[in-house]
Amino acid sequence: EVQLVESGGGLVQPGGSLRLSCAASGFTFSGYGMNWVRQPPGKGLEWVSYIGSDSSTIYYADSVKGRFTISRDNAKNSLYVQMNSLRDEDSAVYYCARVNLPIGAFDIWGQGTMVTVSS
Amino acid sequence: DIQMTQSPSSLSASVGDRVTITCQASQDINYYLNWYQQKPGKAPKLLIYDASNLETGVPSRFSGSGSGTDFTFTISSLQPEDIATYYCQQYDTLPRVFTFGPGTKVDIK
């Protein structure tokens, strides 16, 4: 079964850091670009970051540029995002999502992990 | 940056009704437009890719059309299990950037 499972969410104070992980299974992880997409409580979806299949291409949304770092370990079938200098507005459910290129569609999603930034 | 708008923001319709949602891009995005369904507490699900192509396993009552800046998503006969929020999403190739619309919440009347 094709599956993505996120972990690492939790409560963190403003200015703090958190690292999220996403474990992939059921497909050739090294063959796909991967993304983080977030959704604040009761609000819409926001794309956060993309990493190419071999990590050579990385993009960020302006809202997280300079604070978040996406990475992957193809040997471990895992995707990560290191989130630093967290703000209240970073509170959201964070999903990892596989992108099916070249169509640019997120065809596989994880169940999400909640990040709450609060003092 | 490309901005996406959707209308309406919400709608109520009866079972069996035809439902139409529109999505507009702030500039020409060719056919680089996808549609997702998100049920409460669940991850989004891809329904339509490249404006009009039905994802494998998605019921044929869902369809999409459009190109350039104006796109339409249609449910031909609304079913109770279609209650959800629907999002459009555009993508650029270089740089690889993705933008979601604000969503349309669909309820049963």
Side-chain angles (χ1 to χ4, degrees), chain A residues 10-73:
Chain A
L11 175 64
V12 60
Q13 292 187 338
S17 298
L18 207 58
R19 187 196 196 208
L20 305 182
S21 300
C22 171
S25 59
F27 66 99
T28 305
F29 180 71
S30 60
Y32 290 88
M34 296 296 297
N35 300 263
W36 289 98
V37 177
R38 68 184 180 183
Q39 185 170 37
K43 297 191 177 181
L45 299 166
E46 179 189 19
W47 170 76
V48 172
S49 183
Y50 162 87
I51 185 167
S53 58
D54 63 358
S55 303
S56 62
T57 308
I58 288 174
Y59 296 104
Y60 297 99
D62 288 344
S63 57
V64 306
K65 202 171 294 183
R67 300 186 300 121
F68 287 17
T69 302
I70 192 172
S71 63
R72 65 190 295 161
D73 185 337

Side-chain angles (χ1 to χ4, degrees), chain A residues 35 37 39 43-45 47 50 59 62 95 101-107 109-110, chain B residues 1 34 36 38 42-44 46 49-50 55 87 89 91 94-98 100:
Chain A
N35 300 263
V37 177
Q39 185 170 37
K43 297 191 177 181
L45 299 166
W47 170 76
Y50 162 87
Y59 296 104
D62 288 344
Y95 296 101
L101 299 174
I103 64 174
F106 303 120
D107 62 348
W109 296 69
Chain B
D1 291 0
N34 307 312
Y36 300 84
Q38 186 179 33
K42 300 294 186 182
L46 176 65
Y49 64 91
D50 281 353
E55 175 72 344
Y87 295 92
Q89 170 247 321
Y91 62 96
L94 283 174
R96 201 162 292 287
V97 174
F98 308 86
F100 288 92

Side-chain angles (χ1 to χ4, degrees), chain B:
Chain B
D1 291 0
I2 298 174
Q3 307 300 318
M4 307 299 294
T5 58
Q6 282 182 240
S7 63
S9 57
S10 65
L11 65 89
S12 291
S14 300
V15 172
D17 280 356
R18 183 180 185 87
V19 169
T20 299
I21 299 169
T22 62
C23 177
Q24 188 167 57
S26 59
Q27 63 190 72
D28 190 337
I29 60 170
N30 203 340
Y31 55 84
Y32 302 150
L33 192 285
N34 307 312
W35 290 95
Y36 300 84
Q37 175 193 67
Q38 186 179 33
K39 298 183 178 181
K42 300 294 186 182
K45 174 186 176 182
L46 176 65
L47 299 180
I48 303 284
Y49 64 91
D50 281 353
S52 61
N53 296 284
L54 197 66
E55 175 72 344
T56 301
V58 173
S60 59
R61 65 179 179 275
F62 298 101
S63 64
S65 63
S67 65
T69 60
D70 296 302
F71 300 85
T72 300
F73 172 82
T74 300
I75 307 173
S76 60
S77 177
L78 186 67
Q79 300 302 303
E81 60 266 32
D82 300 336
I83 299 313
T85 300
Y86 293 85
Y87 295 92
C88 62
Q89 170 247 321
Q90 73 86 25
Y91 62 96
D92 289 322
T93 52
L94 283 174
R96 201 162 292 287
V97 174
F98 308 86
T99 307
F100 288 92
T104 296
K105 186 175 182 181
V106 174
D107 283 326
I108 295 287
K109 192 181 295 183

